[in-house]
Amino acid sequence: MKVRHIVAAFGAAVLGAMGSTGGVAQVASAQDSADAADGRQVFEYWCAPCHAPGPGHPGTQSLELKYGGNLPAPLEEREDLTPEVVKTFVRQGILSMAPFRKTEITDAELEDLAAYLAQ
Amino acid sequence: MAVPPGVSESDFAAALDEFRAAVGAEWVFTSDEDVALYRDAYSPFWGEPEERVASAAVAPSTVEQVQAVVRAANARRIPLYPISTGRNLAYGGSAPVYSGSVVLDLKRMNRVIEVNEANAYALVEPGVSYFDLYNYIEERGLDVWIDPPDPGWGSVIGNALDGGGGWTAYPFRDHFGAHCGMEVVLGDGEVVRTGMGAVPNSKTWQENKWGYGPWVDGLFRQSNMGVVTKMGFWLMPRPEAYISGTVQVFNERDIIPLMETLNLLENQHVVNGSTQLGAGFGNDGAAWTLQVPIYGPEKVVRAQLEYAREKFAAIEGSRFVEEDPIRTPLSDEDRARVRLVNFGIPNLSTFAMLGRSPMQPNPPGGHIGFSPIIPRNGEELLKFRDFYRTNLAEVTGGENLGIVGPVFMTNWERSLVGLIMFPISKNASENRKIRAAFERWVELAAEQGWAEYRAPAVFQDTVAETYSFNDHALRRLRERIKDAIDPNGIISAGRYGVWPKHLRKDA
Ligand SMILES: Cc1cc2nc3c(=O)[nH]c(=O)nc-3n(C[C@H](O)[C@H](O)[C@H](O)COP(=O)(O)OP(=O)(O)OC[C@H]3O[C@@H](n4cnc5c(N)ncnc54)[C@H](O)[C@@H]3O)c2cc1C
């Protein structure tokens, strides 16, 4: 079971830090082994506005209806996500979620993000 | 790999090599998979031959790199399409207007250059999103607000350049109107600074909008005259309080005095917030409901609201409900209940309108809007509403296409927007019907003297047709300017209906 209350607490600080560097820290190369901790920062910046738990998050709201309670609506609580699934949705998009370009989320960042959501 | 129309494969290959030399090979995208990321997810032509698609993308991180890319493109007449954050969903996403253009993706130019608290302004690069600017300000505890549009991930510059708007006080929510000073790379690679920025060692680039001599900034709004690499914006000093009242009127024609009173209060700048007009909803029997928010020092906004209440009271039978002022910075409780963009806090909650809901378990995914500007008076508003009702059946062929309208938007000063919304899916036969309906609304509205202020990329020509006074004198003027400053027509061909010489219909 993944308990992630700390994420909410860290969120503001992480976002603040990224404001100053203007984006998620660049990871040296895609070959580096994926780092779930860095992936959490990518999630906080790019995904949490739609996929965090609670109201005001359209991805979560939509997934609540899609799965009708059979799977948790917030992505961070999902046990079934594999890195491949995450990467496919991020680069292909789904419904109103437009895909993310490599200038937004690099391949290396996507590896981290996928590792974070799949862990 | 796709090649831009009219460009030889060898010229394109040579240009791509120069782009790589300028920005680094990893920031030039040519594989089908990478270029597909620039498709417009809400394209009304999704998957059809007419969908607007890029041939490649290049992502510089400095002004010098932008210049190098533009010069290389100009030398070989490669069409470029600059985007800032490229989240222009509902208006074209990150796809070019002219298929085969190379997208010049400025997302990596993401520096907040300055936020000045004392005189409330910011200077930013194109890749800075509303989230980024907000975070920068929060992190430093600066006492100024930004004005985000509903989607917080957009670019402060890109949104302003497309004619976007937000939801706090006037004049800040008119994003292009709130800008002060630009830096632009022209089609030949030359860098220009506008306003006071043209003075070497200028100290007031972000503090005086007009500078000296003919003002050129407007040339870069909804346009293709250059690549904007920096832009200043005036910010709102954090208002001490927000107060809001709700007026209800109970007869349909009460909309006439209601709009008259609203206009007076707004034109006096007594009401400065983004007002919201609702038609006939609720079970309170109100024909129209108007919310009038006011920002400022608490003592002052209380007095302003009192004045507004007196003015609205002159409408017979009207009701006025005053809300308690909300103080800033927001308490956690207030933060959880307010609409965040009204408090300068960027977020993405707006996408809920496109998500699954009990009423729409399988939503189409995207949407577009037709937003004609109409006069801000009750008679005209009723006329637009009747126009919508009268023509809906004809426009849709009697089918329920999921079109929603009209929503009256009072967010711009002095005029109204009569918004009609259309669902966009990935289903070509559905989208075909929506396109026909959209184009028909444009024509019908134009017959009444109503025309749009911002349009999805694929309808920019259609809408430009309606601005035809004196045999399109305005378009011809723009074309003359375009030909003079971008003679090879490399930048954003076709954007907002302005085509370079070689691509015009009469070419
Ligand atoms: C649900 C929903 C709600 C929305 N709500 C709002 C809203 O409240 N307010 C609003 O304004 N919009 C709204 N939009 C429309 C749109 O999503 C936003 O306006 C968004 O900010 C535009 O994308 P962007 O900021 O990434 O701009 P970009 O995509 O970067 O730029 C927009 C266009 O401007 C031009 N451009 C950009 N940068 C440059 C440059 N540096 N030099 C030259 N040309 C350039 C390009 O032609 C580009 O296509 C909404 C859309 C949706 C789907």
Side-chain angles (χ1 to χ4, degrees), chain B residues 141-169:
Chain B
L142 304 175
D143 224 6
V144 288
W145 275 18
I146 64 164
D147 179 278
D150 265 323
W153 55 10
S155 157
V156 183
I157 290 183
N159 180 284
L161 292 180
D162 214 49
W167 305 99
T168 71

Side-chain angles (χ1 to χ4, degrees), chain B residues 42 81-91 93 106 126 149-151 154-155 157-159 161-162 164-165 167 226-228 350-351 353-354 367 454 495:
Chain B
Y42 299 5
Y81 190 78
I83 61 168
S84 287
T85 52
R87 289 271 154 199
N88 202 12
L89 296 167
Y91 293 102
L106 306 176
D150 265 323
S155 157
I157 290 183
N159 180 284
L161 292 180
D162 214 49
W167 305 99
V227 180
V228 177
T350 184
F351 283 89
M353 80 165 115
L354 301 176
H367 78 166
R454 185 180 181 189
R495 179 157 156 77

